[in-house]
Amino acid sequence: MMYDFAVAWDWMAFVVRWLHVITGIAWIGSSFYFIALDLGLRKADDLPPGAHGEEWQVHGGGFYHVRKYLVAPAEMPEHLTWFKWESYATWLSGFAMLCIIYYAGADLYLVDPNVADIPVSSAIAISLASIVFGWIAYDLICKSRFGDDNTRLMLGLYIILVAMAWGYTEVFSGRAALLHLGAFTATIMSANVFFVIMPNQRIVVADLKAGRVPDPKYGKIAKQRSTHNNYLTLPVLFLMLSNHYPLAFATEYNWIIASLIFLVGVLIRHYFNSIHSRSGNPTWAWPASAILMIVIAWLSTEPGVERRDAVEDISLSKLQRQFASAAGFEDVTLTVMGRCAMCHADVPSWEGIRWAPKGVLLETEAQIAAHAREIYLQAGRSHAMPPANVSYMEEAERALIVAWYEAAIAR
């Protein structure tokens, strides 16, 4: 039946999100490990020709002896493990999440008429174009003379990211803007693996098989891109989680918050990279990060851009109008306003809550119709809302929600 589609769709989103987390852990874990390994390499008198350094490690009850060749060993080893699918699967599952939540639900999650009243098709086109633009612009800069200086290159990339953070908040809803900045950055990272790191490694392997001496430039370029990925990882994780926290996305200065998060991520990675390389102990990175987080917390208290001053400004889709006209909507409206609106309000009345959870407002009929699917899944099909049933929603009221939603979908 049609109403089962909402449940199936939500489970699909859950499974894809789970896959995204699994593959992300695999990719980030291997990335952090190899950066730490690379920085911890030590010279030894008995290193074979071409070896840059070695490291002894202990794990799982055994010892590991690892050596790194800057270019390549003299001969092609019989067994070679490639690290690539972790990156590809993370990006593919992330893009699937973007399609499932922000493209399929664009009228609710992607487009905010109070930010930019644009058609859904235009918003999706801007989303895709911006992601592609990010990789092309970054790659061209890396290959230019400007990219010869890695510090200068990172500063240039930061300026681009700040500009994109501001630009996204001028086009999309707050939660979509920060999510897109994360997708923009993650695409650069995964494309680094797909278009640069892996092809360069294949060239080196092909040279070895053909008996040629590999050109060291390919390893140098791959190393540069891998380092960029290392420093961008923590900000991307924050941006991917930000859609769950209105304090991050639903404020006037959300783009500045996102920009500062990149600095926090770089500081934390600088600390750990310095520790791994034994080049110093920059403990100052932690108080500096703490100060930036305090600034971010202060910025988050500014008025939310997600709040709507006029209910009439909300443009309902055909499906949402269908919910508003379905049998039982009046009773559901009274239930939601009585059990949910004390938190999901422009100015929440529930003690301790300053902003509506996830920026969802349920004070008007238009807002309730716009969030019909979420109400059905969170308060009808499940008991997720209200949390711990603090407003004492009765089973009969939940049944009203289910009957109303299913009746609307069946029309």
Side-chain angles (χ1 to χ4, degrees), residues 1-16:
M1 296 179 67
M2 281 295 293
Y3 62 81
D4 288 332
F5 178 77
V7 177
W9 188 266
D10 214 49
W11 269 108
M12 180 175 65
F14 189 4
V15 171
V16 174

Side-chain angles (χ1 to χ4, degrees), residues 12 16 29 56 65 127 147 164 180 204 226 251 271 276 281 302 319 323 355 374 389 391 411:
M12 180 175 65
V16 174
W56 283 88
H65 185 199
S127 168
M164 291 304 301
H180 271 76
V204 172
S226 181
T251 73
Y271 172 82
H276 293 319
N281 186 11
E302 291 302 305
L319 182 59
F323 289 124
W355 289 274
E374 286 68 30
N389 203 23
S391 60
R411 292 171 62 186

Side-chain angles (χ1 to χ4, degrees), residues 154-168:
M154 289 296 285
L155 289 173
L157 176 59
Y158 180 67
I159 292 173
I160 293 175
L161 290 170
V162 172
M164 291 304 301
W166 174 83
Y168 278 136

Side-chain angles (χ1 to χ4, degrees), residues 53-260:
E54 67 176 8
E55 186 171 28
W56 283 88
Q57 300 179 344
V58 59
H59 182 74
F63 292 86
Y64 296 82
H65 185 199
V66 185
R67 288 172 173 171
K68 179 180 179 179
Y69 293 79
L70 273 184
V71 182
E75 297 179 358
M76 180 67 187
E78 292 184 6
H79 177 72
L80 184 63
T81 301
W82 296 77
F83 292 86
K84 55 182 180 179
W85 286 110
E86 298 92 338
S87 169
Y88 303 163
T90 300
W91 189 89
L92 289 171
S93 57
F95 184 72
M97 283 294 299
L98 187 64
C99 294
I100 292 171
I101 296 178
Y102 288 91
Y103 291 171
D107 56 343
L108 188 60
Y109 297 115
L110 184 61
V111 177
D112 183 347
N114 295 281
V115 176
D117 194 2
I118 58 177
V120 166
S121 58
S122 298
I124 294 175
I126 292 172
S127 168
L128 292 170
S130 68
I131 291 173
V132 174
F133 160 78
W135 162 248
I136 294 175
Y138 163 80
D139 188 51
L140 289 175
I141 293 173
C142 284
K143 293 176 178 177
S144 68
R145 289 187 177 181
F146 185 85
D148 291 341
D149 185 322
N150 206 41
T151 300
R152 182 175 60 192
L153 176 59
M154 289 296 285
L155 289 173
L157 176 59
Y158 180 67
I159 292 173
I160 293 175
L161 290 170
V162 172
M164 291 304 301
W166 174 83
Y168 278 136
T169 58
E170 293 295 305
V171 178
F172 300 138
S173 68
R175 63 187 299 173
L178 266 60
L179 188 283
H180 271 76
L181 184 62
F184 178 94
T185 310
T187 298
I188 289 175
M189 295 169 63
S190 192
N192 271 338
V193 178
F194 186 80
F195 291 111
V196 178
I197 297 174
M198 292 307 301
N200 282 12
Q201 290 177 340
R202 291 191 187 98
I203 292 172
V204 172
V205 169
D207 285 342
L208 279 176
K209 289 181 177 180
R212 297 187 296 267
V213 178
D215 191 329
K217 74 174 184 180
Y218 296 110
K220 181 180 178 182
I221 294 171
K223 172 66 176 177
Q224 180 193 54
R225 302 299 182 98
S226 181
T227 301
H228 292 175
N229 285 3
N230 178 254
Y231 280 101
L232 293 173
T233 300
L234 296 183
V236 167
L237 287 175
F238 178 94
L239 294 169
M240 293 306 178
L241 294 172
S242 68
N243 66 96
H244 298 284
Y245 296 92
L247 281 173
F249 68 76
T251 73
E252 181 180 355
Y253 300 114
N254 48 11
W255 68 275
I256 299 179
I257 289 175
S259 302
L260 293 178

Side-chain angles (χ1 to χ4, degrees), residues 325-395:
S325 61
F329 181 62
E330 291 183 5
D331 293 334
V332 169
T333 297
L334 291 175
T335 297
V336 173
M337 288 183 177
R339 307 296 189 186
C340 311
M342 66 282 292
C343 295
H344 290 281
D346 189 34
V347 182
S349 59
W350 193 273
E351 185 178 356
I353 294 181
R354 298 185 61 186
W355 289 274
K358 292 192 177 183
V360 175
L361 304 180
L362 299 174
E363 296 180 284
T364 70
E365 292 184 355
Q367 292 166 348
I368 292 169
H371 292 280
R373 178 173 170 273
E374 286 68 30
I375 294 170
Y376 168 68
L377 293 172
Q378 301 270 357
R381 278 286 189 169
S382 74
H383 288 197
M385 290 291 166
N389 203 23
V390 292
S391 60
Y392 304 104
M393 181 178 286
E394 299 176 359
E395 290 302 315

